[in-house]
Amino acid sequence: MTLHLHESPSQSADAYDELSADGVTPRPHWAHLMESLQEIGPEELGRRWNRAERRIRENGITYNVYSDTLGAHRDWKIDIVPLLIPADEWRSIEAGIVQRAQLLSLLLEDLYGPQHLLTHGHFPAALLYGNPAFLRPLVGVSVPAHSYLHMLAIDLARSPDGQWWVLADRAQAPSGSGYALENRTIVSDVLPDLFRTSNVLRLAPFFRAQREALTNLSKRDNPRIVLLTPGPYNETYFEHSYIARYLGFTLAQGADLTVRNRRVYLKTVDGLEKVDVILRRVDDSFCDPLELRGDSLLGVPGLVDSVVAGNVKVANALGSGLIETAAIMPFLPGLSTHLLGEKLKLPSVATWWCGQSYALDWVLNNLDSVVVKPAFPSRGMEPVFGAEIPQAEKGKFAEQLRARPQEYVAQEQVALSTAPVWDQGCLNSRSVVLRTYVLNTGSGWIAIPGGLVRVAEAEGSVVSMQRGGHSKDAWVLWDGPIDTFSMLRPRNEPVELRRVPRVVPSSVADNVFWLGRYAERAQNLARILRAMIPRIRLAEEPELACLIRLHGCLESRYSKLPKAKRRRPTSLELEQEMTSMFTDAKRPDSLAHTLAEVYRIGDNVRERLSADMMFLIGQLRDFVQLEPKTQFLEYPAILTDCLELLSAFSGLERENINRGLGWLFMTIGRRLERAIYLTRQLREITTPLAEQDWSLLECLLEVADSSMTYRARYYTTLQPLAVLDVLMADETNPRSLDFQLSHLADLYQKLPRHVRDDLKAMRDALALLRSFDLRELKYPLPGAAMAGNGSDGLSRLEHFLRDLERLLPSWSNNLSSRYFSHARTLPISIGQ
């Protein structure tokens, strides 16, 4: 294995080689990097890169490829060799992209304003009014800093003659800048000496300017700025989370925001907090289901009205996606002269909008040399390479273009430049596209030095992250002093100690609350299944009846067992039911489905959980993927392993999570779920058991993991009142009902804005529970007559447990209403 340049694979003769002009000698600005890589050597580079890949996995740096089976769990792919851009070349690129941002901002300002360009024929009306991205409710609405663009992403490619061309503009929710920053962090850590001696322009000043620009959009001191994300299933969700943390903003989904009195508020567990600025990563039409796209679940109902009222600033401004169509590119040179009084410095790739008759004729006559795309990206059509259309189908395709010419655009098929990528100790050539970014600071425009380089997966393939491509860093090699500012504090400077709690959005609290509930639900399911499965095949008629009663504690709406009124289920039917409850992932109350929910919810808040917690949750997700030949009697051992993981979850929840609001909601969820299951199980005892049903007591103790506690007090003598004492009234048993209610009341009291009436209801329930003196209850024993009216006490206890079983979900609903949805809570109480 070698890093020698002359062993690079051959490449297309008509593509520009970033590394070398002759295929042998590096270009001058590449010489230092190549020498450094040679000195480090492939073995050491391999060791360094292994550390970097481990860091990528540990930090959860992901990119969601929708067609990939790994989905959101696909690790971000980075190349070790940066793309180098010399200073003089960067100055030319920077001037071009800054001018382009100014031009496109003025274009948007006119099209959403006076529309002089349409009136005087500088821009075709069909290209405006036929574009679904033109949002009519936003016409005439003022925009932040008098610019529709806070940040513009521009995709650049180099032609065979070395000229940089613009391939596309991204204005709605331009992504990738966070990945560019992460690439820089990782590559500079892998090649620290090379980075330090190459005089590379830093990225941090650009992000500092972005934070200041967004802060200045609000007239308030310490404004509330949120980054609006589509959520964890979006392809670039990691970046959204990363940028929010890096800039110090709150990451929020549409459900976290609400509009009241034409103002936007962030729903937090502390209450509603006014939002001043929204940095959005949600496409235009999805931002407001009330005004824009009614089927959107990602936006904020009423957001447009709040923007119109001037009560919130949105960057980029709603409607900016209008300029993402390539169909405007043929008009940009003329618009630049008209609006800026200067020629376009950075040309677009040759483009023809078929809505113009002469352009359509040219495209049809030169179909083999162009790529045909939808004029409006929302149409969702895949690019069509004219040269690849079979001769017999070209006529049909031409008719398709003639039928609706305004909906198509054609572009020259560009031979992308190639750059070296490091692969197993060798350099290979791959096509690259540079995405760079321009920021409106409010007082001018600045460009990020470099940007995000996207790399084709294989030689000659399309450059697309969704098609398996990867990325690399871009280094601008400066010829003067550089700003070494970093958003991260240097290690040799002391930091100011602080313990300011993070804002907890309502959706985060909602997720961790249900994470706790589903984890506890899975544990209870696993314990009941483990208690029942070994007994089913050996059970005689009485014990089978007890197992059916234990199954009834689950109150499954999806049970496959026959109704008890018709006939008692057979042992075979119960065995099939247990298998279904264990392995059927499509059954909502199965263990497999519950564990999948634990993972789904945990993944929603992965940025709030430790790496150990996410690793454990990942293990739980994969747990019930059993081998086809797994036998029924092997299930208990598998369930024991599952319970070990769930116990580890409980341990991490208690020992590894800060006692903040997130922990409170997670723990409340776990205690609440355990209390609900306990009330169901305890009700089975309050109805006097016949002697043949007493084997149920042993199962209940086993499910509650309290068998040893019971035996330490009562040896092997099983009696219902003693079991009730251990599972219901024992304040020291962490699996007793008393323990759950006591802790729920204490935990709820620590929540901000807790409702006194709800707290009183929980305390009343606890007081009622403790009012039952089990020593005074008369439970019928085998062969003994019932003394007096002792059954009245059992009856009252049974009614209390039924009331409690209704109270707990109502209390949970009030918790959700107050802290998660911020709706009205209803009075709850528990009767005597």
Side-chain angles (χ1 to χ4, degrees):
M1 294 194 299
T2 178
L3 289 170
H4 290 305
L5 181 61
H6 68 270
E7 293 201 7
S8 298
S10 60
Q11 56 205 36
S12 175
D14 59 353
Y16 183 92
D17 186 355
E18 298 285 348
L19 176 58
S20 172
D22 57 9
V24 177
T25 307
R27 299 181 190 275
H29 60 284
W30 281 88
H32 178 51
L33 181 142
M34 296 305 297
E35 291 172 2
S36 298
L37 295 183
Q38 296 273 19
E39 291 175 2
I40 296 172
E43 292 185 3
E44 173 59 20
L45 280 174
R47 282 192 290 270
R48 295 185 186 185
W49 195 242
N50 287 337
R51 291 198 301 271
E53 288 183 322
R54 185 167 61 251
R55 172 178 170 175
I56 290 172
R57 290 191 297 271
E58 290 174 351
N59 290 352
I61 307 173
T62 57
Y63 178 84
N64 184 0
V65 177
Y66 296 125
S67 60
D68 194 333
T69 55
L70 290 177
H73 319 299
R74 179 182 183 269
D75 289 339
W76 180 246
K77 298 171 69 175
I78 307 174
D79 178 49
I80 195 172
V81 183
L83 176 68
L84 304 185
I85 305 174
D88 56 347
E89 190 171 6
W90 175 249
R91 289 188 179 95
S92 175
I93 294 173
E94 183 177 33
I97 59 179
V98 165
Q99 182 205 48
R100 192 177 187 89
Q102 293 171 329
L103 174 61
L104 292 177
S105 182
L106 290 174
L107 175 60
L108 283 169
E109 186 177 349
D110 181 79
L111 295 180
Y112 278 103
Q115 298 186 344
H116 294 314
L117 296 174
L118 269 66
T119 304
H120 297 98
H122 295 291
F123 194 89
L127 194 52
L128 174 65
Y129 296 119
N131 192 340
F134 178 55
L135 304 184
R136 288 165 176 78
L138 277 304
V139 172
V141 177
S142 60
V143 295
H146 306 289
S147 173
Y148 277 82
L149 301 178
H150 163 71
M151 188 166 72
L152 176 70
I154 303 171
D155 289 342
L156 303 176
R158 200 198 292 267
S159 62
D161 63 359
Q163 168 70 49
W164 286 98
W165 297 78
V166 175
L167 296 181
D169 303 289
R170 296 286 178 260
Q172 292 191 77
S175 64
S177 60
Y179 286 115
L181 181 61
E182 186 65 30
N183 285 0
R184 173 63 55 84
T185 303
I186 291 175
V187 174
S188 61
D189 187 52
V190 172
L191 304 171
D193 296 332
L194 177 61
F195 180 78
R196 186 172 57 254
T197 56
S198 296
N199 209 42
V200 181
L201 285 180
R202 306 297 202 264
L203 302 182
F206 178 86
F207 290 97
R208 172 182 58 188
Q210 183 182 22
R211 185 170 62 185
E212 292 174 352
L214 289 167
T215 301
N216 292 337
L217 291 181
S218 173
K219 295 183 173 63
R220 286 206 309 163
D221 293 333
N222 300 317
R224 168 67 66 192
I225 303 174
V226 301
L227 191 153
L228 179 61
T229 172
Y233 297 108
N234 183 260
E235 57 188 358
T236 56
Y237 178 72
F238 165 80
E239 181 196 29
H240 305 163
S241 174
Y242 181 70
I243 285 292
R245 290 197 306 269
Y246 187 71
L247 297 179
F249 302 156
T250 302
L251 185 68
Q253 299 180 43
D256 289 317
L257 304 177
T258 184
V259 175
R260 309 279 175 91
N261 298 321
R262 306 183 80 185
R263 298 181 184 276
V264 179
Y265 292 90
L266 175 68
K267 293 187 283 188
T268 78
V269 296
D270 290 301
L272 298 178
E273 296 190 11
K274 182 177 179 296
V275 174
D276 302 286
V277 180
I278 298 175
L279 175 62
R280 68 180 176 96
R281 287 295 182 265
V282 176
D283 286 348
D284 285 329
S285 61
F286 288 92
C287 283
D288 186 346
L290 195 63
E291 292 279 356
L292 302 177
R293 181 166 174 162
D295 62 346
S296 171
L297 300 177
L298 307 177
V300 186
L303 177 60
V304 168
D305 189 42
S306 184
V307 169
V308 171
N311 292 328
V312 69
K313 304 295 189 298
V314 178
N316 285 342
L318 295 177
S320 54
L322 177 64
I323 59 169
E324 289 193 342
T325 169
I328 70 170
M329 290 183 174
F331 305 96
L332 292 182
L335 290 172
S336 180
T337 302
H338 177 72
L339 294 174
L340 298 177
E342 55 191 37
K343 292 184 177 180
L344 197 63
K345 296 177 181 177
L346 194 60
S348 307
V349 64
T351 306
W352 298 266
W353 177 51
C354 295
Q356 297 173 298
S357 57
Y358 73 88
L360 174 63
D361 292 339
W362 189 95
V363 170
L364 294 176
N365 292 330
N366 299 272
L367 197 56
D368 287 345
S369 62
V370 298
V371 182
V372 179
K373 305 176 180 179
F376 310 120
S378 61
R379 299 298 190 204
M381 165 189 160
E382 286 291 320
V384 176
F385 292 83
E388 298 178 3
I389 302 176
Q391 193 65 35
E393 297 182 13
K394 285 189 176 179
K396 182 179 179 180
F397 186 72
E399 289 303 316
Q400 182 180 334
L401 294 185
R402 290 193 183 96
R404 305 183 68 85
Q406 71 278 5
E407 293 193 2
Y408 298 96
V409 65
Q411 290 186 314
E412 176 188 4
Q413 189 171 344
V414 180
L416 302 175
S417 65
T418 62
V421 296
W422 187 79
D423 183 20
Q424 301 298 321
C426 295
L427 291 182
N428 296 317
S429 294
R430 295 287 184 268
S431 300
V432 295
V433 171
L434 171 64
R435 173 170 289 187
T436 191
Y437 305 86
V438 186
L439 173 72
N440 180 9
T441 66
S443 57
W445 299 81
I446 63 170
I448 193 171
L452 178 69
V453 182
R454 293 179 293 159
V455 185
E457 176 66 11
E459 189 174 4
S461 63
V462 175
V463 177
S464 170
M465 302 302 291
Q466 278 295 318
R467 298 187 182 183
H470 54 289
S471 67
K472 60 166 66 224
D473 194 8
W475 289 6
V476 175
L477 309 179
W478 205 235
D479 54 7
I482 60 173
D483 185 353
T484 58
F485 167 81
S486 173
M487 299 277 277
L488 303 175
R489 185 180 293 273
R491 295 181 180 179
N492 59 354
E493 291 185 11
V495 298
E496 180 182 351
L497 300 180
R498 56 183 178 180
R499 295 179 186 172
V500 180
R502 294 169 65 184
V503 170
V504 180
S506 293
S507 68
V508 172
D510 193 0
N511 276 307
V512 296
F513 173 73
W514 281 101
L515 178 60
R517 288 198 65 171
Y518 272 110
E520 186 63 33
R521 187 174 300 178
Q523 187 170 147
N524 193 78
L525 271 169
R527 290 188 178 281
I528 288 180
L529 290 172
R530 190 180 64 170
M532 292 182 65
I533 288 172
R535 293 176 165 89
I536 290 176
R537 292 187 177 179
L538 302 176
E540 300 292 340
E541 190 66 21
E543 188 174 11
L544 183 61
C546 291
L547 294 178
I548 292 171
R549 289 183 67 169
L550 183 58
H551 171 270
C553 295
L554 296 173
E555 297 191 355
S556 171
R557 291 181 294 172
Y558 307 92
S559 173
K560 301 179 185 297
L561 295 178
K563 300 298 182 183
K565 291 182 180 179
R566 286 185 287 175
R567 64 176 176 84
R568 176 172 289 177
T570 66
S571 60
L572 178 59
E573 288 171 331
L574 190 57
E575 182 175 321
Q576 292 170 342
E577 169 71 0
M578 292 297 95
T579 300
S580 172
M581 291 203 70
F582 184 19
T583 63
D584 188 355
K586 295 182 180 180
R587 178 172 169 167
D589 64 345
S590 72
L591 180 61
H593 186 274
T594 304
L595 291 176
E597 286 297 287
V598 169
Y599 182 82
R600 180 187 65 80
I601 297 171
D603 196 49
N604 287 347
V605 289
R606 64 183 306 128
E607 74 278 0
R608 300 264 176 168
L609 303 177
S610 68
D612 286 346
M613 180 71 88
M614 283 309 304
F615 177 74
L616 178 62
I617 289 174
Q619 287 184 297
L620 287 170
R621 175 196 59 177
D622 300 331
F623 191 80
V624 193
Q625 297 177 359
L626 303 180
E627 295 291 334
K629 296 182 180 179
T630 304
Q631 298 296 312
F632 182 71
L633 292 180
E634 296 179 60
Y635 289 172
I638 299 172
L639 287 165
T640 297
D641 293 339
C642 179
L643 285 168
E644 287 180 3
L645 292 176
L646 289 167
S647 297
F649 179 95
S650 301
L652 288 174
E653 175 252 317
R654 287 193 297 270
E655 302 296 334
N656 288 44
I657 298 179
N658 289 347
R659 277 3 186 207
L661 289 174
W663 174 83
L664 274 175
F665 280 103
M666 184 185 296
T667 305
I668 286 173
R670 288 187 60 246
R671 295 296 175 192
L672 179 67
E673 191 73 17
R674 187 176 293 182
I676 290 173
Y677 274 100
L678 274 168
T679 56
R680 295 174 183 171
Q681 293 161 16
L682 290 170
R683 279 198 295 107
E684 294 297 326
I685 311 178
T686 56
T687 301
L689 297 174
E691 183 178 1
Q692 63 267 24
D693 295 331
W694 279 29
S695 59
L696 176 63
L697 301 176
E698 182 181 355
C699 292
L700 292 177
L701 287 171
E702 183 178 331
V703 168
D705 197 21
S706 297
S707 299
M708 291 304 298
T709 301
Y710 186 91
R711 288 172 188 167
R713 297 175 186 175
Y714 306 105
Y715 301 101
T716 58
T717 304
L718 274 177
Q719 288 202 1
L721 287 181
V723 173
L724 274 174
D725 183 57
V726 170
L727 298 187
M728 186 184 78
D730 187 350
E731 300 177 19
T732 65
N733 182 5
R735 292 192 169 273
S736 75
L737 184 58
D738 185 291
F739 193 94
Q740 311 316 312
L741 296 184
S742 176
H743 275 66
L744 279 171
D746 291 343
L747 293 167
Y748 181 67
Q749 186 176 221
K750 295 177 182 178
L751 291 178
R753 306 182 304 112
H754 66 264
V755 180
R756 290 184 179 180
D757 289 344
D758 285 1
L759 179 60
K760 182 178 184 299
M762 291 303 300
R763 286 176 170 167
D764 287 347
L766 180 61
L768 275 172
L769 173 65
R770 291 177 174 175
S771 70
F772 289 97
D773 189 346
L774 298 181
R775 291 168 296 187
E776 295 181 358
L777 293 182
K778 305 299 183 183
Y779 204 100
L781 299 176
M786 190 69 177
N789 59 355
S791 61
D792 290 344
L794 286 176
S795 177
R796 284 195 306 108
L797 181 56
E798 197 267 343
H799 284 305
F800 163 74
L801 291 173
R802 286 192 181 277
D803 287 344
L804 183 61
E805 193 175 351
R806 289 190 291 268
L807 171 74
L808 290 170
S810 297
W811 187 75
S812 175
N813 292 338
N814 272 3
L815 195 75
S816 299
S817 296
R818 185 161 184 80
Y819 293 102
F820 308 155
S821 64
H822 294 257
R824 184 169 63 93
T825 58
L826 298 175
I828 59 172
S829 62
I830 188 165
Q832 299 290 330

